Amino acid sequence: MAIRLGNNCGNCDNLMTDQMCKVHGVKVGSHYTCDSFEMKLELNNDRDCNTCLRFQREDCANPSKAAPGMMCSVWAPLSVSA
């Protein structure tokens, strides 16, 4: 199975810092995608406990090991709504 990078707003050059789309003029999130997707030249690689929605919550998969800088297979982005 091939590994592919998602063509979503989080990796799109049209996403502005205020979570607004330059093309559509609406607030978006990293789980959105569209036909106007333009890949960022530099991708965001901030995937660890500090940026995980589940960090220090009951639904954390590894509560005894979770710490800033660590990463696991059930990482969930902090911003999941648009």
Side-chain angles (χ1 to χ4, degrees):
M1 179 191 307
I3 297 173
R4 292 183 180 85
L5 183 64
N7 287 352
N8 60 39
C9 294
N11 297 323
C12 183
D13 199 38
N14 294 317
L15 180 66
M16 298 186 293
T17 55
D18 58 354
Q19 296 297 101
M20 291 291 289
C21 173
K22 284 190 241 180
V23 174
H24 299 99
V26 295
K27 206 164 198 59
V28 294
S30 60
H31 59 285
Y32 285 73
T33 189
C34 76
D35 294 333
S36 302
F37 175 84
E38 293 290 330
M39 180 67 76
K40 285 183 181 179
L41 293 178
E42 185 176 311
L43 300 177
N44 183 347
N45 199 23
D46 296 335
R47 307 288 188 256
D48 68 15
C49 290
N50 275 335
T51 59
C52 182
L53 180 67
R54 298 180 183 106
F55 185 47
Q56 296 181 333
R57 286 189 2 185
E58 284 184 24
D59 56 346
C60 175
N62 303 291
S64 62
K65 297 179 183 177
M70 297 204 50
M71 185 175 149
C72 75
S73 61
V74 293
W75 178 85
L78 287 174
S79 300
V80 293
S81 61

